[in-house]
Amino acid sequence: MNFLRLFARNLREGPYTEAFPFAPAPTAKRFRGKIEFDAETCEGCRLCERVCPAGAIKMERTAEGMTFDCWHDTCVFCGNCEFHCPTKSIHQTADWHLAHRQEDKYRMVEHGLIPFQVCTECGSKGLATAPAAGSANPPLTAEEFQHVKSLCPKCRGKFMRARKTKAKA
Amino acid sequence: MSVIERLKTMATKSPWIYRINAGSCNGCDVEMATCALIPRYDVERLGCQYCGSPRHADIVLISGPLTRRVLDATLRVFDEIPDPKVTVAVGVCPISGGIFRESYAVLAPIDQYFPVDVNVPGCPPRPQAIIEGIAQAVQIWRERL
């Protein structure tokens, strides 16, 4: 009698085939698709570049700052970069619509730029990366975070050391 | 409508697909087979059908990073496919080399040897992505015919 049950179910639910090219396809929430990069929260540690097995990620110092480029055509969607990123500024979206014509091959790039800025304390030039303060105790407040972000690496070190001694005292 | 035009409209309804494995790990091949064999994806709705002989093919799917050893065989099979044909590179390996890039044993990217028209990146691309690529290839094929 099993086939009758199957028959009834198929009548009720219709064809099993996804209507994909003519309608959106169901995608899992945690699907590992296209890489997305957020330059605002990046620390500039370049760990993603190091752990990328396919060499898809390239970070380079240019005249404007540090550039981030991820070429989707060589990315294997392993998720190593997301796993190792200390600030979670790289993440994988559920977007898998990557099929493209040959002329767009070298345009399939996720680009980001961490620009240079002038330090608000000493006036020297430094990258506007997010401060690497994951282990700061007590954690940085939003105000402090913005202040540290506007400093150059040397002034950042000074600020964090001063803060540490203040917290101990 | 002349006879030739009528034949053209009839022919563009059903491009046949041929698949070349140029040293692939079989991941992409499994996904390509899944496109046709599983009713859930069913690429045959687009009129496409996998064929066993390159001489019957209209769209050719190439997977794999093109190892040095298969280059000659792949080129010979590719030449058997009658023009106009549309080439689809499936997976990141034929497009850029993927994780095999810069190896001495592979000749990726394959666009140095084959006139690629559509790229479907992914490792492997999901069946829907391959269907998306095939849909683009069908459009190109209609322009060419």
Side-chain angles (χ1 to χ4, degrees), chain B residues 95-118:
Chain B
I95 304 173
S96 65
I99 50 169
F100 303 111
R101 200 154 53 128
E102 289 158 24
S103 158
Y104 63 87
V106 307
L107 300 167
I110 63 161
D111 52 10
Q112 303 172 74
Y113 300 92
F114 302 99
V116 176
D117 298 298
V118 179

Side-chain angles (χ1 to χ4, degrees), chain A residues 17-18 73 97 100 102 105, chain B residues 39-40 95-96 111 119 128:
Chain A
T17 310
E18 281 174 14
D73 275 0
H97 297 277
H100 56 276
Q102 174 68 8
K105 182 174 170 183
Chain B
R40 182 160 183 177
I95 304 173
S96 65
D111 52 10
N119 291 315
Q128 287 100 328

Side-chain angles (χ1 to χ4, degrees), chain A residues 84-117:
Chain A
H84 288 282
C85 183
T87 55
K88 300 287 162 246
S89 46
I90 288 191
H91 70 271
Q92 283 190 291
T93 58
D95 181 15
W96 47 270
H97 297 277
L98 288 166
H100 56 276
R101 294 196 176 199
Q102 174 68 8
E103 54 263 34
D104 297 327
K105 182 174 170 183
Y106 295 107
R107 285 186 214 125
M108 301 295 288
V109 174
E110 173 77 12
H111 181 75
L113 172 73
I114 306 164
F116 280 122
Q117 63 177 1

